[in-house]
Amino acid sequence: MTPSMPTEPTQRQVQLEAPFTDQKPGTSGLRKSSQQFEQPHYLESFIEASFRTLPGMKGGTLVLGGDGRYGNLRAIDVILRMGAAHGLQKVIVTTGGILSTPAASNLIRQRQAIGGIILSASHNPGGPDGDFGVKVNGANGGPTPASFTDAVYDCSKTLTGYSIVEAPAISLQAPGQHSIGEMQVEVIDGVDDFVALMRTLFDFESISALIRNDFPLAFDAMHAVTGPYAKKLLEEVLGAPAGSVRNGTPLEDFGGGHPDPNLTYAHELADLLMDGDAYQFGAACDGDGDRNMILGKRCFVNPSDSLAVLTANATLAPGYASGLAGVARSMPTSAAVDVVAKELGIKCFETPTGWKFFGNLLDAGDITLCGEESFGTGSNHVREKDGLWAVLFWLQILAKRRCSVAEIMSEHWNRYGRHYYSRHDYEAVASEGAHGLYDRLEAMLPNLIGQPFAGRTISAADNFSYTDPVDQSVTKGQGLRILLDDGSRVVLRLSGTGTKGATLRVYLESYVPTTGDLAQDPQVALGDMIQAINQLAEITERTGMERPTVIT
């Protein structure tokens, strides 16, 4: 541990000429371009509004870190000095400022902190011309609810100034104890606590025996936050050969890449597994480490199917050996897990998109596992989705069942049927065009019922709303649903996680029972529905795009 001498800071109040009016957080915090965050006072304004809103600041403990993108270290220095000005007793920060989102959630819960600040724009590109983000998590380790983010936004619009102290920057190169005035700053290794948590959930001996017995794997950290975690877990602890973790050094611009673990942006890994025979297992995680993509030899695991497989095989992992209380999925996620939950006799909940909606169910003990089609899965061990946790869970299943990923998927579909599923993303669409398309389709919904669609009949059409079963809060406007008479469906949403234009997401799902054709290409199986929604919503005409940017 490296101590530093206490510094006597000078506190000052910085006046703003005018408040910022564009600091409304989305479901994953405030995301803007790096250039916007570099405007004078922009970061400080949002932190000031957050600190004024977060309960327990005076004398409290805060967890702080990020995914290593451009702006991470500067933001940590600013937040430390503002935390001292606001009376925090302690801030726990990690070496290099590197802290994955699930590891942050664990630290908040473990250290009984008032919350945490995670510096990330998740899967968005980084660098001076990329994006930056700030997310505040609550004392339960999960994303703060809308009531908190709304209050932060309201506060930011009326700010006249912010408090900060002048003090030398604290070195984050090694673990150590430091202070800024009365506030303690504890720099820790951000990996150790996470590895210890994973040991309580999985049988490392059986996973290690699998990996060491001619089971070549490839993990792509995408030059993002999970590199140090994956190297420690997969190579050092579990015995994968050196080099199994690719792109394992976090870089400010993610090596010029797009840290989104899907078949488009992680195509090098996908090519290794889908076109070759050198590897048995492949996985990737995103910028802040909460998303995952799972691959087997010539086999891609759809995220919706992944949640269903983990649910069906949960008791193979020691941490879940006693069974599951229930499961939950976001509304756009396929109903594959619903079929498994029904057979297991456990509850299954359908929530809006956004991990915060799982938080109440987890805290109430109603669910154990949860997941989203956007490559996010998790459990009650933290209050965030957890990419490396999902990778270890898959390795645990493979270690116990001693078969391939493709065999696991085939056996699963033969038992439960297959939900053919795909998501088409149209990225960076002109905002006016995207909203015009969406608003037009929403206005059409009441008149669609009973109309033909892709050889089927529309049985229901609505804009999804959700009543939380724990606190009875109501969330409306969560996605346009076109439900068909055979159980198939199409969902359209506009994403709020990008910073350039709008992203239109189209979700398509069709269920085939165990007696049907379970070996089709999803794009072929869904072809008639793809064509029908393109025509109905006038996607090509209104977006100007002949094909989606990303197909999952």
Side-chain angles (χ1 to χ4, degrees):
M1 300 287 281
T2 305
S4 68
M5 294 299 292
T7 60
E8 288 300 327
T10 301
Q11 183 163 334
R12 63 190 181 99
Q13 186 74 18
V14 179
Q15 299 300 313
L16 297 175
E17 291 185 6
F20 294 96
T21 59
D22 64 344
Q23 296 189 333
K24 182 175 178 59
T27 58
S28 298
L30 182 67
R31 292 184 187 173
K32 300 288 183 181
S33 70
S34 297
Q35 293 178 9
Q36 277 185 277
F37 266 104
E38 289 188 314
Q39 294 178 74
H41 314 302
Y42 194 87
L43 170 67
E44 292 87 344
S45 174
F46 186 71
I47 298 302
E48 178 73 22
S50 298
F51 280 172
R52 291 190 185 187
T53 309
L54 187 64
M57 281 290 297
K58 196 75 171 177
T61 296
L62 186 78
V63 170
L64 174 62
D67 61 13
R69 69 178 58 230
Y70 176 81
N72 194 55
L73 293 177
R74 180 185 81 88
I76 287 174
D77 176 57
V78 167
I79 294 167
L80 286 174
R81 293 187 290 119
M82 291 186 68
H86 281 266
L88 281 171
Q89 182 182 56
K90 176 185 280 192
V91 176
I92 299 166
V93 65
T94 49
T95 52
I98 298 295
L99 182 64
S100 76
T101 289
S105 180
N106 177 51
L107 277 175
I108 293 168
R109 295 165 63 80
Q110 185 185 82
R111 297 296 193 97
Q112 297 182 316
I114 61 169
I117 293 181
I118 301 169
L119 304 167
S120 174
S122 187
H123 53 287
N124 292 12
D129 297 320
D131 295 336
F132 191 77
V134 180
K135 185 173 78 163
V136 181
N137 278 27
N140 74 338
T144 47
S147 58
F148 177 87
T149 54
D150 288 347
V152 169
Y153 180 47
D154 290 341
C155 181
S156 72
K157 291 186 293 184
T158 59
L159 276 184
T160 58
Y162 60 87
S163 297
I164 192 169
V165 302
E166 296 299 328
I170 285 175
S171 173
L172 303 181
Q173 292 183 352
Q177 298 286 345
H178 310 269
S179 63
I180 300 176
E182 297 298 317
M183 186 185 79
Q184 302 170 38
V185 179
E186 182 181 357
V187 182
I188 67 169
D189 185 309
V191 175
D192 291 343
D193 290 288
F194 183 78
V195 172
L197 176 63
M198 294 300 103
R199 284 187 183 275
T200 67
L201 300 174
F202 302 111
D203 178 0
F204 276 23
E205 286 189 14
S206 66
I207 297 174
S208 180
L210 171 74
I211 290 175
R212 294 174 190 272
N213 185 28
D214 192 26
F215 186 81
L217 62 84
F219 178 87
D220 190 349
M222 307 189 81
H223 285 305
V225 77
T226 56
Y229 296 85
K231 286 182 179 179
K232 180 74 172 183
L233 277 165
L234 298 177
E235 295 183 0
E236 296 179 30
V237 176
L238 296 173
S244 296
V245 175
R246 298 162 174 263
N247 303 317
T249 301
L251 298 176
E252 288 192 336
D253 65 348
F254 307 116
H258 192 145
D260 196 354
N262 58 43
L263 296 174
T264 298
Y265 296 121
H267 62 88
E268 292 182 1
L269 177 72
D271 290 345
L272 286 176
L273 273 295
M274 300 299 288
D275 299 332
D277 296 316
Y279 295 93
Q280 297 289 334
F281 180 81
C285 288
D286 71 331
D288 64 329
D290 61 357
R291 301 184 188 214
N292 71 92
M293 177 173 70
I294 302 296
L295 298 159
K297 184 187 293 186
R298 302 184 184 276
C299 177
F300 164 70
V301 180
N302 184 287
S304 296
D305 281 341
S306 182
L307 176 61
V309 169
L310 297 187
T311 300
N313 294 272
T315 55
L316 296 180
Y320 309 96
S322 60
L324 307 176
V327 293
R329 62 169 175 85
S330 64
M331 180 273 288
T333 303
S334 93
V337 73
D338 302 42
V339 179
V340 178
K342 183 177 181 180
E343 180 168 310
L344 294 177
I346 59 176
K347 295 175 286 188
C348 183
F349 298 87
E350 181 182 39
T351 73
T353 296
W355 206 258
K356 61 188 177 184
F357 293 103
F358 295 136
N360 275 0
L361 297 170
L362 289 164
D363 288 343
D366 287 334
I367 62 171
T368 309
L369 301 186
C370 45
E372 297 180 330
E373 49 69 38
S374 53
F375 294 89
T377 34
S379 86
N380 58 357
H381 69 291
V382 291
R383 293 298 181 267
E384 289 279 6
K385 47 186 177 280
D386 190 343
L388 274 171
W389 167 88
V391 173
L392 290 173
F393 211 144
W394 266 94
L395 288 171
Q396 180 75 90
I397 294 169
L398 293 167
K400 293 293 186 181
R401 293 185 56 176
R402 293 287 174 163
C403 60
S404 69
V405 173
E407 287 169 331
I408 286 176
M409 294 313 306
S410 178
E411 291 174 13
H412 184 88
W413 294 328
N414 282 324
R415 179 171 180 179
Y416 297 103
R418 182 173 183 181
H419 291 255
Y420 284 103
Y421 182 87
S422 186
R423 186 179 96 183
H424 290 193
D425 288 2
Y426 298 83
E427 296 180 346
V429 180
S431 184
E432 182 178 349
H435 285 276
L437 180 157
Y438 194 85
D439 293 344
R440 170 183 172 273
L441 184 61
E442 183 173 14
M444 294 170 64
L445 293 179
N447 298 320
L448 291 180
I449 299 172
Q451 297 296 313
F453 185 94
R456 307 160 175 89
T457 300
I458 297 174
S459 59
D462 63 12
N463 195 333
F464 180 66
S465 65
Y466 174 71
T467 301
D468 191 300
V470 178
D471 63 14
Q472 305 306 309
S473 60
V474 177
T475 305
K476 297 180 178 180
Q478 293 301 299
L480 309 183
R481 301 191 300 174
I482 298 174
L483 309 179
L484 308 180
D485 57 353
D486 68 344
S488 301
R489 63 178 184 149
V490 180
V491 175
L492 278 77
R493 295 183 64 249
L494 291 179
S495 172
T497 59
T499 63
K500 296 179 177 67
T503 296
L504 173 68
R505 304 198 195 281
V506 180
Y507 311 83
L508 306 116
E509 176 180 2
S510 180
Y511 177 67
V512 173
T514 57
T515 54
D517 185 352
L518 304 176
Q520 301 177 68
D521 180 306
Q523 301 309 311
V524 174
L526 298 166
D528 55 350
M529 293 173 61
I530 293 170
Q531 183 178 9
I533 191 60
N534 282 348
Q535 292 175 349
L536 179 65
E538 299 180 350
I539 292 175
T540 299
E541 296 92 319
R542 292 177 176 271
T543 65
M545 302 174 70
E546 291 291 333
R547 61 186 60 84
T549 313
V550 178
I551 295 177
T552 302

